[in-house]
Amino acid sequence: MTEATPGTIDAHVHVWQPPTPRFPLAGGYTAEDMEPRTFTPEILLGHARSCGVERIVLIQMSYYGFDNSYMLHVMQEHPGVFSGVAVIDDTAADPAAEMRRLKAQGVRGFRLVTHNRDPGAWFDSDGIRAMWTCGAGENLAMGMLINPDVLPILGKMCARFPDTPVVIDHLARIGIGAPIRDEDVAALCRLAEQPNVKVKVSAFYLMGAATPPYHDLAPFIRRVFEAFGPGRLMWATDCPYQVAPGHTYRNSIELVKNGLDFLSGEDRDQLLRRTAEATYFNPI
């Protein structure tokens, strides 16, 4: 087992291993679907620790579906190093009970993805409303993987549940496979009116020119920074995809450490450590 020490936090990473009887793949997935075939915590830490990253937030990988066992196993094997964001079935009889069960095992958030469902109807479903109610009562963050067209609907949900912590993944995927549109950035920035909304400044390998050192993203990130402030932004890589050909772990962290000249030293510490620490590592 390895113990953590205070340092930079990567707020969004996936890990997995080849399927085993203990940690099987969810229905519909095969080993051939896994790319890369494995990305274990040991591989991850080899990238992270060379860049000064000591703690990491694990995001449940889709290959495992609603079975969060492998993520929980990794957290237990590396006490204090990893926190976790789980995925559960919001259509189950009592999703709030599952949230509380996983909270007791160190989970601090739950990922929500609209998939192929109508976002408006999905947000208004019994299961999602139960999850947001539980999130408010238990201080568990709703991690939103959404495209920019869903931002207005998310804003209504945040106004309806103002006490529920919300973390938007990957800058709402603005500029992924499309230009960074001013109206999309404005929609994201409007959510700063909701005090419990935070944003992951992450997945640079996908956005804009999608080429290191990613300096073309600076004006976009600056607008989000000016809207939310450093206390509601957190850096993340989205590994293993950040270490795909043409990109490195260091490319990602260097943009925040040295590539955004509007950030002060205190701002950088907030993005690289303190926001994620308060959201995913402080006792609740």
Side-chain angles (χ1 to χ4, degrees), residues 43-217:
I43 297 171
L44 165 63
L45 291 170
H47 293 286
R49 286 190 165 153
S50 66
C51 295
V53 174
E54 296 292 343
R55 289 177 290 173
I56 295 169
V57 181
L58 299 178
I59 311 298
Q60 166 74 350
M61 186 57 197
S62 56
Y63 300 147
Y64 296 115
F66 300 133
D67 182 356
N68 296 275
S69 299
Y70 181 68
M71 183 185 73
L72 295 172
H73 167 74
V74 172
M75 292 164 61
Q76 292 160 4
E77 287 294 300
H78 302 267
V81 177
F82 296 108
S83 184
V85 172
V87 176
I88 66 171
D89 183 1
D90 61 84
T91 68
D94 191 354
E98 180 68 354
M99 291 172 68
R100 290 188 288 268
R101 184 185 74 84
L102 290 168
K103 176 185 176 181
Q105 298 180 70
V107 166
R108 293 294 177 263
F110 293 85
R111 195 175 211 198
L112 299 179
V113 187
T114 56
H115 294 298
N116 296 319
R117 293 179 284 187
D118 172 70
W122 178 67
F123 273 125
D124 199 42
S125 67
D126 291 343
I128 293 299
R129 285 188 278 109
M131 289 185 68
W132 281 60
T133 299
C134 182
E138 301 287 345
N139 194 27
L140 296 167
M142 301 293 102
M144 304 305 307
L145 180 64
I146 58 172
N147 290 326
D149 60 300
V150 180
L151 287 167
I153 300 171
L154 176 61
K156 294 177 182 178
M157 192 69 170
C158 293
R160 185 177 180 183
F161 292 89
D163 297 325
T164 303
V166 174
V167 179
I168 299 173
D169 290 344
H170 310 326
L171 290 157
R173 295 172 54 84
I174 294 169
I176 294 180
I180 297 173
R181 302 193 312 164
D182 180 76
E183 54 265 44
D184 291 338
V185 179
L188 175 59
C189 290
R190 278 195 292 273
L191 280 177
E193 299 170 2
Q194 303 294 333
N196 279 324
V197 175
K198 299 174 183 176
V199 179
K200 288 179 186 170
V201 181
S202 54
F204 307 141
Y205 68 96
L206 278 175
M207 296 175 179
T211 303
Y214 315 120
H215 288 169
D216 62 299
L217 301 178

Side-chain angles (χ1 to χ4, degrees), residues 248-268:
T248 68
Y249 199 101
R250 191 172 297 277
N251 290 153
S252 178
I253 196 169
E254 279 296 312
L255 179 63
V256 177
K257 288 180 71 174
N258 297 306
L260 303 174
D261 60 9
F262 54 88
L263 297 179
S264 68
E266 185 175 347
D267 294 336
R268 295 180 204 277

